[in-house]
Amino acid sequence: MTSDTVLKVRALGVDAVGPDGTHPIVTSFGLDLSAGETIGIVGESGSGKTMTARAIMGLLPGSLVARGEVEYDGRNLLELSEREWSHVRGREIGLVLQDPFTMLNPVFRCGRIIEESLIWEGRRRPPRSERRAEVNRRLAEVGLTDPSVADRYPFQLSGGMRQRVAVAASLARDPKILIADEPTTALDVTTQKEMLTLLRGVQKSRGMSVVLITHDLRVAFAMCDRVYVMYGGSLIEVAPGSDLETKPLHPYTQGLLLAEPSVDRRVAELPSIPGSVPKARETTGCCAFATRCEWVTDQCRQGPPPLIEVADLRYSACVRLPEISSDMAAKRARIDVVEAPVRDVRAERPLIDIRDLRKEFRVGQRTVHALAGVSLQVNQGESVAVVGESGSGKTTLARTLLGLERCTSGDIMIDGIPAHDWSRLSAADLRRLRGTVQMVFQDPYASLNPMRSIGSALSEAIRSHESATKHASGAVADLLKTVGLPASYAQRRPSALSGGERQRVAIARALAVNPRLLVCDEPVSALDVSVRAQIINLFATLQRERGVGFVFITHDLSMLRQITERVCIMYRGRLVESGPVDQILDHPTDPYTIKLLRSIPRSDADWIDAPVSTEV
């Protein structure tokens, strides 16, 4: 703690109180935040990041209670009444959430949302013209210079514009501290970079302190002065961002770093951390990471390790660090030199042949050209990525390919069957197409029936293709084994699984009909970095061992080199560039492709301020 510390957190814990007793959600967390400083809190889902932020803001639900100390301006915020909190939230500490719809009232226009957040110190509410001028000034501060934005409802804005309005509302009362909880996770790479640049610029102009919660380590390294790593409700490592990137001092942090896909090279298999994050109450008597650590010994199970200073400005909660630090460094060195060649997939006839595909939608009096003459071929066993921002036509292309949308014009051939209009196909052709192409959606929880067991869902998929199957239970077990899950998971429901496990089940269901191609719509964008690595490795295994091909719909360019042989770039319904993955990533020619690649998160601070605007 220094003289310019604006927020001090000590022994912060969050407990769930219920009929069966009290259970910890966050065991112990502490931080010191200086004026104008940015700190990052990173970790997988379930680590306690968001609960920590909500505890600091006094926004925990009624079933949770916070303990410890959150000192701001000489007061412990945990002791404030709700009336006292009203003078702290927004005025002193602002909050930006991942989903702007959570923050923005959908029945209010954006101007009113910001206006109601403003403070008119020492005087009555000013005239409408003055209020409107102040709203426009606040919108301009976050890059929204069009005055008409104030008259629009949140649903009339793009995701990036909604997030900018949310930031403007959070800054309306000029807080000294801004807590940003995953503010860019759901955004495209270009919009993400614009938002991060915006936050950095506003922070510098105001001298504001920022707490950035993220599971993207590259974003944390680029934005943050110091990074706090959480796992299983515990704080396990603290370090300056640059030091943490080059030399992690906890096995969990190293596992996260190694699981990040490399933009520059392709590896045969991405390193991943086995298993999933345990609940805090399951690890109260040992190191939280003990169940997933390759260096675990009995010493790690003899009690929760303390977070201690292990080097200058470096803190770690690993009791075996002096013994294993050299092994950790050796593992990083081995992985840094491993590369794998790109597979050469050729065929006499493409499995998928799309010619001059067009799709138009009527929006009021307007005609939107979602697809404007797209032509694309995919060979048997090939992995092709279709990349672009939201609104580029990626998902429309996938839905048209699967018969979920009918194209306006153009031709689609799937394994020699005309498939531009599935409603006109014979029952035999429909059966053949559904056995050829299947889809994996972004949100596995939304695509699985929460009331049915995993075994029931997979059995239904098997019998829909092979109605005479008598031994569905054996086939279910085989499917689960294929995607790396035990047969016992057939008895569970989706709510009992982690996000990565649910996505594995969704993939297993798609594999039930033995398809030759999987169309995957943002299949890993909602997953943590380590779980994402597990799923990417699973895709590679399916391609290698079963000859399954893939069409990946994605805006995450960082994983392209790991999972695809060919990349197609879409912009406003058009295919603007395509080619081998190495050619596209290393030598792009289209201005839009160059803009996308410049927006890929990098761990150096210069990336935030580097321009990406290119005429397209």
Side-chain angles (χ1 to χ4, degrees), residues 170-456:
S170 298
L171 297 176
R173 297 191 175 188
D174 302 318
K176 296 181 177 65
I177 300 171
L178 182 68
I179 299 177
D181 188 1
E182 301 278 10
T184 62
T185 297
L187 303 178
D188 299 317
V189 286
T190 52
T191 310
Q192 176 190 50
K193 185 181 181 304
E194 290 169 358
M195 283 302 305
L196 294 173
T197 302
L198 166 67
L199 285 176
R200 171 69 65 83
V202 171
Q203 178 190 16
K204 288 181 177 179
S205 65
R206 291 171 170 241
M208 186 173 59
S209 302
V210 174
V211 177
L212 176 66
I213 298 173
T214 180
H215 64 252
D216 192 325
L217 292 175
R218 291 166 300 187
V219 168
F221 295 147
M223 285 285 292
C224 302
D225 302 300
R226 289 181 297 132
V227 178
Y228 288 65
V229 183
M230 291 192 72
Y231 180 80
S234 301
L235 185 58
I236 61 171
E237 186 170 0
V238 181
S242 57
D243 294 342
L244 195 70
E245 180 183 16
T246 55
K247 188 180 180 181
L249 295 181
H250 194 284
Y252 174 64
T253 310
Q254 171 154 303
L256 288 181
L257 286 168
L258 296 182
E260 281 280 5
S262 172
V263 180
D264 303 318
R265 58 189 175 83
R266 184 186 184 105
V267 297
E269 182 177 7
L270 280 172
S272 63
I273 306 173
S276 57
V277 180
K279 298 184 182 300
R281 65 184 180 183
E282 299 171 356
T283 62
T284 53
C286 64
C287 170
F289 192 55
T291 56
R292 302 172 75 189
C293 182
E294 62 182 288
W295 290 287
V296 63
T297 66
D298 290 340
Q299 181 184 4
C300 307
R301 302 186 179 96
Q302 294 175 0
L307 184 74
I308 60 174
E309 189 170 11
V310 293
D312 187 30
L313 300 178
R314 303 292 306 270
Y315 297 83
S316 175
C318 178
V319 294
R320 298 203 62 215
L321 183 62
E323 307 167 55
I324 67 173
S325 58
S326 59
D327 292 341
M328 291 171 60
K331 182 174 182 177
R332 292 196 303 273
R334 287 196 304 271
I335 290 174
D336 283 344
V337 299
V338 176
E339 292 198 33
V342 178
R343 296 170 68 247
D344 184 10
V345 182
R346 300 181 184 180
E348 293 183 3
R349 188 185 72 176
L351 179 65
I352 305 292
D353 191 358
I354 299 173
R355 299 291 177 92
D356 196 28
L357 195 64
R358 299 177 183 273
K359 176 62 180 178
E360 297 175 356
F361 293 99
R362 293 288 297 176
V363 181
Q365 300 299 316
R366 279 189 315 129
T367 299
V368 177
H369 299 276
L371 298 175
V374 174
S375 296
L376 172 67
Q377 294 182 335
V378 183
N379 295 324
Q380 170 67 39
E382 186 178 22
S383 179
V384 177
V386 180
V387 180
E389 297 170 290
S390 297
S392 62
K394 309 185 304 297
T395 296
T396 301
L397 175 63
R399 291 178 60 83
T400 305
L401 178 62
L402 269 295
L404 302 176
E405 295 280 358
R406 184 185 302 176
C407 64
T408 304
S409 64
D411 294 314
I412 302 175
M413 297 290 288
I414 302 177
D415 196 22
I417 299 176
H420 57 277
D421 187 352
W422 285 49
S423 64
R424 297 184 178 182
L425 295 175
S426 66
D429 282 345
L430 276 174
R431 183 183 183 82
R432 183 175 161 190
L433 284 184
R434 288 169 180 155
T436 302
V437 184
Q438 284 287 308
M439 191 162 189
V440 177
F441 295 93
Q442 176 177 354
D443 184 357
Y445 194 74
S447 62
L448 296 173
N449 189 330
M451 302 304 296
R452 303 187 66 172
S453 69
I454 302 306
S456 175

Side-chain angles (χ1 to χ4, degrees), residues 370-592:
L371 298 175
V374 174
S375 296
L376 172 67
Q377 294 182 335
V378 183
N379 295 324
Q380 170 67 39
E382 186 178 22
S383 179
V384 177
V386 180
V387 180
E389 297 170 290
S390 297
S392 62
K394 309 185 304 297
T395 296
T396 301
L397 175 63
R399 291 178 60 83
T400 305
L401 178 62
L402 269 295
L404 302 176
E405 295 280 358
R406 184 185 302 176
C407 64
T408 304
S409 64
D411 294 314
I412 302 175
M413 297 290 288
I414 302 177
D415 196 22
I417 299 176
H420 57 277
D421 187 352
W422 285 49
S423 64
R424 297 184 178 182
L425 295 175
S426 66
D429 282 345
L430 276 174
R431 183 183 183 82
R432 183 175 161 190
L433 284 184
R434 288 169 180 155
T436 302
V437 184
Q438 284 287 308
M439 191 162 189
V440 177
F441 295 93
Q442 176 177 354
D443 184 357
Y445 194 74
S447 62
L448 296 173
N449 189 330
M451 302 304 296
R452 303 187 66 172
S453 69
I454 302 306
S456 175
L458 295 181
S459 296
E460 180 185 46
I462 293 168
R463 290 195 175 97
S464 68
H465 190 64
E466 296 290 343
S467 57
T469 299
K470 297 181 179 180
H471 304 290
S473 59
V476 167
D478 290 341
L479 282 174
L480 290 173
K481 181 180 179 182
T482 298
V483 297
L485 294 175
S488 60
Y489 273 45
Q491 309 303 318
R492 301 189 182 187
R493 291 188 178 182
S495 60
L497 307 184
S498 68
E501 289 170 338
R502 285 196 291 264
Q503 192 62 290
R504 288 174 184 267
V505 171
I507 294 170
R509 187 179 60 179
L511 293 174
V513 300
N514 293 312
R516 298 165 66 185
L517 182 80
L518 289 182
V519 179
C520 303
D521 190 0
E522 302 283 6
V524 297
S525 63
L527 303 178
D528 294 313
V529 58
S530 181
V531 180
R532 179 172 58 178
Q534 295 174 13
I535 299 300
I536 289 174
N537 289 337
L538 172 60
F539 287 143
T541 300
L542 293 174
Q543 185 182 32
R544 182 176 61 251
E545 297 182 357
R546 298 178 61 138
V548 176
F550 295 91
V551 173
F552 288 103
I553 308 298
T554 182
H555 65 251
D556 185 356
L557 283 76
S558 64
M559 71 176 193
L560 294 186
R561 208 183 296 263
Q562 307 305 323
I563 61 173
T564 63
E565 290 87 44
R566 196 152 49 87
V567 177
C568 301
I569 308 293
M570 289 195 68
Y571 178 64
R572 295 184 178 178
R574 297 180 295 111
L575 202 61
V576 297
E577 186 169 6
S578 65
V581 60
D582 289 341
Q583 174 187 316
I584 297 296
L585 294 182
D586 297 336
H587 307 288
T589 58
D590 188 84
Y592 179 66

Side-chain angles (χ1 to χ4, degrees), residues 17-97:
V17 181
D20 58 342
T22 300
H23 303 290
I25 304 295
V26 176
T27 54
S28 182
F29 180 86
L31 66 78
D32 291 319
L33 178 65
S34 300
E37 183 184 28
T38 302
I39 68 165
I41 302 178
V42 303
E44 295 172 278
S45 297
S47 293
K49 307 185 301 296
T50 295
M51 284 303 170
T52 298
R54 289 186 174 275
I56 293 173
M57 291 291 296
L59 292 173
L60 290 175
S63 59
L64 302 181
V65 295
R67 50 183 162 79
E69 181 182 12
V70 178
E71 183 182 324
Y72 174 81
D73 197 22
R75 296 177 295 172
N76 183 4
L77 299 184
L78 299 185
E79 298 174 351
L80 299 185
S81 65
E82 188 58 34
R83 182 185 181 90
E84 292 171 318
W85 261 115
S86 65
H87 296 282
V88 175
R89 291 194 201 105
R91 293 173 181 255
E92 305 291 342
I93 307 176
L95 176 66
V96 178
L97 300 176

